[in-house]
Short mmCIF file of all heavy atoms in Angstrom, two decimals:
data_model
loop_
_atom_site.label_atom_id
_atom_site.label_comp_id
_atom_site.label_asym_id
_atom_site.label_seq_id
_atom_site.Cartn_x
_atom_site.Cartn_y
_atom_site.Cartn_z
N ALA A 159 129.09 -10.83 -26.23
CA ALA A 159 128.63 -11.85 -27.16
C ALA A 159 127.39 -12.56 -26.62
O ALA A 159 127.21 -12.67 -25.41
CB ALA A 159 129.74 -12.87 -27.40
N GLU A 160 126.57 -13.03 -27.53
CA GLU A 160 125.38 -13.75 -27.13
C GLU A 160 125.76 -15.11 -26.56
O GLU A 160 126.65 -15.78 -27.06
CB GLU A 160 124.48 -13.93 -28.35
CG GLU A 160 123.08 -14.33 -28.00
CD GLU A 160 122.17 -14.27 -29.21
OE1 GLU A 160 122.34 -13.38 -30.04
OE2 GLU A 160 121.31 -15.15 -29.29
N ARG A 161 125.08 -15.49 -25.49
CA ARG A 161 125.37 -16.79 -24.88
C ARG A 161 124.30 -17.79 -25.27
O ARG A 161 123.14 -17.46 -25.39
CB ARG A 161 125.39 -16.67 -23.35
CG ARG A 161 126.54 -15.86 -22.86
CD ARG A 161 126.51 -15.78 -21.37
NE ARG A 161 127.66 -15.03 -20.89
CZ ARG A 161 127.85 -14.71 -19.63
NH1 ARG A 161 127.00 -15.06 -18.72
NH2 ARG A 161 128.91 -14.03 -19.27
N GLY A 162 124.73 -19.02 -25.45
CA GLY A 162 123.80 -20.10 -25.77
C GLY A 162 124.28 -21.38 -25.12
O GLY A 162 125.28 -21.39 -24.39
N PHE A 163 123.60 -22.48 -25.39
CA PHE A 163 123.96 -23.75 -24.77
C PHE A 163 125.39 -24.17 -25.11
O PHE A 163 126.12 -24.64 -24.26
CB PHE A 163 122.97 -24.84 -25.19
CG PHE A 163 123.32 -26.19 -24.65
CD1 PHE A 163 123.12 -26.47 -23.30
CD2 PHE A 163 123.86 -27.16 -25.45
CE1 PHE A 163 123.45 -27.70 -22.78
CE2 PHE A 163 124.19 -28.40 -24.94
CZ PHE A 163 123.98 -28.68 -23.60
N THR A 164 125.80 -23.98 -26.36
CA THR A 164 127.14 -24.41 -26.75
C THR A 164 128.18 -23.29 -26.68
O THR A 164 129.35 -23.53 -26.91
CB THR A 164 127.13 -24.97 -28.19
OG1 THR A 164 126.67 -23.94 -29.08
CG2 THR A 164 126.26 -26.20 -28.30
N GLY A 165 127.76 -22.08 -26.37
CA GLY A 165 128.71 -20.97 -26.33
C GLY A 165 128.52 -20.09 -25.11
O GLY A 165 128.44 -18.87 -25.22
N TYR A 166 128.43 -20.70 -23.93
CA TYR A 166 128.17 -19.93 -22.72
C TYR A 166 129.35 -19.05 -22.33
O TYR A 166 129.18 -17.98 -21.81
CB TYR A 166 127.81 -20.87 -21.57
CG TYR A 166 127.41 -20.13 -20.32
CD1 TYR A 166 126.16 -19.55 -20.22
CD2 TYR A 166 128.30 -19.99 -19.26
CE1 TYR A 166 125.79 -18.85 -19.08
CE2 TYR A 166 127.93 -19.30 -18.13
CZ TYR A 166 126.68 -18.74 -18.04
OH TYR A 166 126.33 -18.04 -16.93
N TRP A 167 130.55 -19.53 -22.57
CA TRP A 167 131.76 -18.79 -22.16
C TRP A 167 132.74 -18.79 -23.32
O TRP A 167 132.91 -19.81 -23.97
CB TRP A 167 132.39 -19.47 -20.95
CG TRP A 167 133.02 -18.51 -20.01
CD1 TRP A 167 134.32 -18.14 -19.98
CD2 TRP A 167 132.38 -17.78 -18.99
NE1 TRP A 167 134.52 -17.23 -19.00
CE2 TRP A 167 133.34 -16.98 -18.37
CE3 TRP A 167 131.06 -17.71 -18.55
CZ2 TRP A 167 133.06 -16.13 -17.32
CZ3 TRP A 167 130.78 -16.86 -17.49
CH2 TRP A 167 131.77 -16.09 -16.91
N PRO A 168 133.45 -17.68 -23.55
CA PRO A 168 134.43 -17.66 -24.65
C PRO A 168 135.69 -18.45 -24.29
O PRO A 168 136.48 -18.02 -23.46
CB PRO A 168 134.74 -16.17 -24.83
CG PRO A 168 134.43 -15.55 -23.50
CD PRO A 168 133.32 -16.38 -22.90
N LEU A 169 135.84 -19.63 -24.88
CA LEU A 169 136.98 -20.50 -24.61
C LEU A 169 137.52 -21.05 -25.92
O LEU A 169 136.76 -21.30 -26.85
CB LEU A 169 136.56 -21.71 -23.75
CG LEU A 169 136.22 -21.46 -22.31
CD1 LEU A 169 135.66 -22.75 -21.69
CD2 LEU A 169 137.43 -21.01 -21.52
N PRO A 170 138.83 -21.28 -25.98
CA PRO A 170 139.36 -21.95 -27.16
C PRO A 170 138.89 -23.41 -27.20
O PRO A 170 138.53 -23.98 -26.17
CB PRO A 170 140.88 -21.86 -26.97
CG PRO A 170 141.07 -21.67 -25.52
CD PRO A 170 139.86 -20.95 -25.01
N THR A 171 138.88 -24.02 -28.37
CA THR A 171 138.43 -25.39 -28.52
C THR A 171 139.25 -26.35 -27.66
O THR A 171 138.72 -27.23 -27.01
CB THR A 171 138.51 -25.83 -29.99
OG1 THR A 171 137.70 -24.93 -30.75
CG2 THR A 171 138.01 -27.25 -30.17
N ARG A 172 140.56 -26.15 -27.63
CA ARG A 172 141.43 -27.01 -26.81
C ARG A 172 142.01 -26.16 -25.69
O ARG A 172 143.07 -25.57 -25.82
CB ARG A 172 142.53 -27.61 -27.68
CG ARG A 172 143.25 -28.73 -27.01
CD ARG A 172 144.11 -29.47 -28.00
NE ARG A 172 144.59 -30.70 -27.43
CZ ARG A 172 145.14 -31.66 -28.12
NH1 ARG A 172 145.28 -31.53 -29.40
NH2 ARG A 172 145.55 -32.74 -27.53
N HIS A 173 141.30 -26.11 -24.58
CA HIS A 173 141.68 -25.23 -23.47
C HIS A 173 142.54 -25.91 -22.43
O HIS A 173 143.27 -25.25 -21.70
CB HIS A 173 140.44 -24.63 -22.81
CG HIS A 173 139.40 -25.66 -22.48
ND1 HIS A 173 139.55 -26.56 -21.46
CD2 HIS A 173 138.23 -25.93 -23.07
CE1 HIS A 173 138.49 -27.33 -21.41
NE2 HIS A 173 137.67 -26.99 -22.39
N GLY A 174 142.45 -27.22 -22.26
CA GLY A 174 143.30 -27.94 -21.31
C GLY A 174 142.79 -27.99 -19.89
O GLY A 174 143.49 -28.44 -18.99
N MET A 175 141.57 -27.53 -19.63
CA MET A 175 141.03 -27.56 -18.27
C MET A 175 140.08 -28.75 -18.11
O MET A 175 139.43 -29.17 -19.06
CB MET A 175 140.27 -26.26 -17.97
CG MET A 175 141.18 -25.07 -17.80
SD MET A 175 140.29 -23.61 -17.28
CE MET A 175 139.77 -22.98 -18.88
N THR A 176 140.04 -29.27 -16.87
CA THR A 176 139.08 -30.33 -16.56
C THR A 176 137.71 -29.71 -16.36
O THR A 176 137.57 -28.49 -16.23
CB THR A 176 139.49 -31.07 -15.28
OG1 THR A 176 139.38 -30.17 -14.18
CG2 THR A 176 140.91 -31.62 -15.36
N LEU A 177 136.68 -30.55 -16.31
CA LEU A 177 135.33 -30.04 -16.06
C LEU A 177 135.24 -29.35 -14.70
O LEU A 177 134.54 -28.35 -14.54
CB LEU A 177 134.31 -31.17 -16.15
CG LEU A 177 134.05 -31.70 -17.55
CD1 LEU A 177 133.07 -32.86 -17.51
CD2 LEU A 177 133.52 -30.61 -18.45
N GLY A 178 135.95 -29.88 -13.72
CA GLY A 178 135.96 -29.25 -12.40
C GLY A 178 136.62 -27.87 -12.43
O GLY A 178 136.14 -26.92 -11.81
N GLU A 179 137.72 -27.75 -13.16
CA GLU A 179 138.38 -26.45 -13.31
C GLU A 179 137.48 -25.47 -14.04
O GLU A 179 137.41 -24.29 -13.68
CB GLU A 179 139.71 -26.62 -14.04
CG GLU A 179 140.74 -27.36 -13.22
CD GLU A 179 141.96 -27.80 -14.03
OE1 GLU A 179 141.85 -27.99 -15.25
OE2 GLU A 179 143.02 -27.95 -13.39
N LEU A 180 136.77 -25.95 -15.07
CA LEU A 180 135.84 -25.09 -15.79
C LEU A 180 134.71 -24.63 -14.87
O LEU A 180 134.31 -23.46 -14.89
CB LEU A 180 135.27 -25.80 -17.01
CG LEU A 180 136.22 -25.99 -18.18
CD1 LEU A 180 135.61 -26.91 -19.22
CD2 LEU A 180 136.59 -24.65 -18.80
N ALA A 181 134.19 -25.54 -14.05
CA ALA A 181 133.12 -25.18 -13.11
C ALA A 181 133.58 -24.08 -12.16
O ALA A 181 132.86 -23.12 -11.88
CB ALA A 181 132.66 -26.41 -12.34
N ARG A 182 134.79 -24.22 -11.64
CA ARG A 182 135.34 -23.19 -10.76
C ARG A 182 135.50 -21.85 -11.49
O ARG A 182 135.20 -20.80 -10.95
CB ARG A 182 136.68 -23.63 -10.18
CG ARG A 182 136.56 -24.70 -9.15
CD ARG A 182 137.92 -25.12 -8.64
NE ARG A 182 137.78 -26.07 -7.56
CZ ARG A 182 138.73 -26.90 -7.18
NH1 ARG A 182 139.91 -26.88 -7.78
NH2 ARG A 182 138.52 -27.74 -6.20
N LEU A 183 135.99 -21.91 -12.72
CA LEU A 183 136.15 -20.70 -13.53
C LEU A 183 134.81 -20.01 -13.75
O LEU A 183 134.67 -18.81 -13.50
CB LEU A 183 136.79 -21.05 -14.88
CG LEU A 183 136.83 -19.90 -15.90
CD1 LEU A 183 137.83 -18.83 -15.49
CD2 LEU A 183 137.15 -20.43 -17.28
N PHE A 184 133.82 -20.76 -14.20
CA PHE A 184 132.51 -20.18 -14.50
C PHE A 184 131.88 -19.59 -13.24
O PHE A 184 131.34 -18.48 -13.27
CB PHE A 184 131.57 -21.22 -15.09
CG PHE A 184 132.03 -21.79 -16.41
CD1 PHE A 184 131.60 -23.04 -16.82
CD2 PHE A 184 132.90 -21.10 -17.24
CE1 PHE A 184 132.00 -23.58 -18.04
CE2 PHE A 184 133.32 -21.62 -18.46
CZ PHE A 184 132.86 -22.86 -18.85
N ALA A 185 131.94 -20.32 -12.14
CA ALA A 185 131.35 -19.83 -10.90
C ALA A 185 132.05 -18.56 -10.42
O ALA A 185 131.40 -17.59 -10.03
CB ALA A 185 131.42 -20.91 -9.81
N GLY A 186 133.36 -18.54 -10.50
CA GLY A 186 134.12 -17.38 -10.06
C GLY A 186 133.92 -16.16 -10.95
O GLY A 186 133.67 -15.06 -10.46
N GLU A 187 134.01 -16.36 -12.25
CA GLU A 187 133.89 -15.25 -13.18
C GLU A 187 132.48 -14.67 -13.24
O GLU A 187 132.29 -13.48 -13.42
CB GLU A 187 134.33 -15.68 -14.59
CG GLU A 187 135.80 -15.98 -14.71
CD GLU A 187 136.67 -14.74 -14.58
OE1 GLU A 187 136.30 -13.70 -15.14
OE2 GLU A 187 137.72 -14.82 -13.91
N ALA A 188 131.48 -15.54 -13.09
CA ALA A 188 130.09 -15.09 -13.18
C ALA A 188 129.53 -14.69 -11.83
O ALA A 188 128.39 -14.23 -11.74
CB ALA A 188 129.22 -16.19 -13.80
N GLY A 189 130.32 -14.87 -10.76
CA GLY A 189 129.86 -14.51 -9.42
C GLY A 189 128.73 -15.40 -8.93
O GLY A 189 127.88 -14.98 -8.16
N ILE A 190 128.75 -16.66 -9.38
CA ILE A 190 127.70 -17.61 -8.96
C ILE A 190 128.07 -18.15 -7.59
O ILE A 190 129.14 -18.72 -7.39
CB ILE A 190 127.59 -18.77 -9.99
CG1 ILE A 190 127.24 -18.21 -11.36
CG2 ILE A 190 126.58 -19.80 -9.53
CD1 ILE A 190 127.35 -19.23 -12.47
N ARG A 191 127.16 -17.97 -6.66
CA ARG A 191 127.40 -18.47 -5.31
C ARG A 191 126.88 -19.90 -5.23
O ARG A 191 125.68 -20.14 -5.23
CB ARG A 191 126.70 -17.57 -4.31
CG ARG A 191 127.22 -16.15 -4.34
CD ARG A 191 126.40 -15.29 -3.44
NE ARG A 191 126.85 -15.46 -2.08
CZ ARG A 191 127.41 -14.49 -1.36
NH1 ARG A 191 127.54 -13.30 -1.88
NH2 ARG A 191 127.81 -14.72 -0.14
N VAL A 192 127.81 -20.84 -5.20
CA VAL A 192 127.45 -22.25 -5.22
C VAL A 192 128.43 -23.03 -4.35
O VAL A 192 129.60 -22.66 -4.25
CB VAL A 192 127.46 -22.79 -6.68
CG1 VAL A 192 128.83 -22.69 -7.29
CG2 VAL A 192 126.95 -24.22 -6.74
N GLU A 193 127.94 -24.06 -3.68
CA GLU A 193 128.81 -24.95 -2.92
C GLU A 193 129.32 -26.00 -3.90
O GLU A 193 128.58 -26.91 -4.29
CB GLU A 193 128.04 -25.59 -1.77
CG GLU A 193 128.94 -26.38 -0.84
CD GLU A 193 128.18 -26.91 0.36
OE1 GLU A 193 127.25 -26.24 0.81
OE2 GLU A 193 128.57 -27.99 0.83
N LEU A 194 130.55 -25.85 -4.33
CA LEU A 194 131.11 -26.68 -5.39
C LEU A 194 132.21 -27.58 -4.81
O LEU A 194 133.13 -27.09 -4.16
CB LEU A 194 131.69 -25.78 -6.49
CG LEU A 194 132.27 -26.43 -7.72
CD1 LEU A 194 131.22 -27.23 -8.46
CD2 LEU A 194 132.88 -25.37 -8.63
N HIS A 195 132.08 -28.88 -5.05
CA HIS A 195 133.09 -29.84 -4.60
C HIS A 195 133.69 -30.51 -5.83
O HIS A 195 132.99 -31.24 -6.53
CB HIS A 195 132.47 -30.90 -3.68
CG HIS A 195 131.88 -30.33 -2.44
ND1 HIS A 195 132.63 -30.04 -1.33
CD2 HIS A 195 130.62 -29.96 -2.16
CE1 HIS A 195 131.84 -29.53 -0.41
NE2 HIS A 195 130.61 -29.47 -0.89
N VAL A 196 134.95 -30.26 -6.08
CA VAL A 196 135.64 -30.86 -7.22
C VAL A 196 136.59 -31.92 -6.70
O VAL A 196 137.43 -31.64 -5.84
CB VAL A 196 136.42 -29.79 -8.03
CG1 VAL A 196 137.18 -30.43 -9.18
CG2 VAL A 196 135.45 -28.73 -8.55
N VAL A 197 136.45 -33.13 -7.18
CA VAL A 197 137.28 -34.25 -6.75
C VAL A 197 138.47 -34.37 -7.69
O VAL A 197 138.30 -34.46 -8.91
CB VAL A 197 136.48 -35.57 -6.74
CG1 VAL A 197 137.35 -36.74 -6.32
CG2 VAL A 197 135.26 -35.43 -5.83
N ALA A 198 139.68 -34.33 -7.14
CA ALA A 198 140.89 -34.44 -7.96
C ALA A 198 141.02 -35.85 -8.55
O ALA A 198 140.66 -36.84 -7.90
CB ALA A 198 142.12 -34.13 -7.10
N MET A 199 141.52 -35.92 -9.77
CA MET A 199 141.72 -37.21 -10.43
C MET A 199 143.03 -37.82 -9.98
O MET A 199 144.03 -37.11 -9.82
CB MET A 199 141.73 -37.03 -11.94
CG MET A 199 140.44 -36.56 -12.49
SD MET A 199 140.30 -36.42 -14.31
CE MET A 199 141.91 -36.38 -14.93
N ARG A 200 143.03 -39.13 -9.80
CA ARG A 200 144.27 -39.82 -9.45
C ARG A 200 145.11 -40.05 -10.69
O ARG A 200 144.57 -40.28 -11.78
CB ARG A 200 143.97 -41.18 -8.82
CG ARG A 200 143.50 -41.10 -7.38
CD ARG A 200 143.24 -42.47 -6.87
NE ARG A 200 141.98 -42.88 -7.50
CZ ARG A 200 141.32 -43.98 -7.20
NH1 ARG A 200 141.79 -44.82 -6.36
NH2 ARG A 200 140.18 -44.26 -7.80
N ASN A 201 146.40 -39.97 -10.54
CA ASN A 201 147.36 -40.28 -11.61
C ASN A 201 147.21 -39.40 -12.85
O ASN A 201 147.65 -39.78 -13.93
CB ASN A 201 147.28 -41.75 -12.03
CG ASN A 201 147.52 -42.68 -10.86
OD1 ASN A 201 148.36 -42.42 -10.01
ND2 ASN A 201 146.74 -43.74 -10.78
N ALA A 202 146.58 -38.26 -12.72
CA ALA A 202 146.44 -37.34 -13.86
C ALA A 202 147.58 -36.32 -13.79
O ALA A 202 147.89 -35.80 -12.72
CB ALA A 202 145.10 -36.64 -13.81
N ARG A 203 148.18 -36.06 -14.94
CA ARG A 203 149.25 -35.07 -15.02
C ARG A 203 148.86 -34.03 -16.05
O ARG A 203 148.29 -34.35 -17.10
CB ARG A 203 150.56 -35.75 -15.40
CG ARG A 203 151.07 -36.71 -14.34
CD ARG A 203 152.33 -37.39 -14.81
NE ARG A 203 152.08 -38.13 -16.05
CZ ARG A 203 152.04 -39.44 -16.15
NH1 ARG A 203 152.28 -40.18 -15.11
NH2 ARG A 203 151.79 -40.02 -17.30
N ARG A 204 149.14 -32.79 -15.78
CA ARG A 204 148.75 -31.69 -16.66
C ARG A 204 149.28 -31.88 -18.08
O ARG A 204 148.62 -31.54 -19.04
CB ARG A 204 149.27 -30.37 -16.06
CG ARG A 204 148.98 -29.15 -16.87
CD ARG A 204 147.54 -28.79 -16.98
NE ARG A 204 146.95 -28.57 -15.68
CZ ARG A 204 145.65 -28.46 -15.47
NH1 ARG A 204 144.82 -28.50 -16.47
NH2 ARG A 204 145.19 -28.29 -14.27
N GLY A 205 150.44 -32.46 -18.22
CA GLY A 205 151.03 -32.63 -19.54
C GLY A 205 150.51 -33.80 -20.34
O GLY A 205 150.90 -34.00 -21.48
#
């Protein structure tokens, strides 16, 4: 599929991932070599 600013990766509208999780996904899947530091949120629960 063609990639653009709003459609870089095929994801459902409500995916449930944080921006940090998405960054890790994109970097890993695209093979982007980057020094990525994701800070965990306090008091956040997946549910």
Side-chain angles (χ1 to χ4, degrees):
E160 195 170 324
R161 292 180 178 175
F163 177 74
T164 59
Y166 185 77
W167 215 265
L169 289 173
T171 302
R172 194 168 192 166
H173 49 72
M175 289 186 274
T176 66
L177 289 177
E179 291 168 334
L180 287 170
R182 287 179 175 159
L183 171 70
F184 298 156
E187 292 291 319
I190 300 170
R191 298 174 82 115
V192 62
E193 187 175 327
L194 182 62
H195 299 277
V196 177
V197 179
M199 296 184 341
R200 284 180 285 187
N201 303 320
R203 294 177 301 251
R204 179 66 59 191

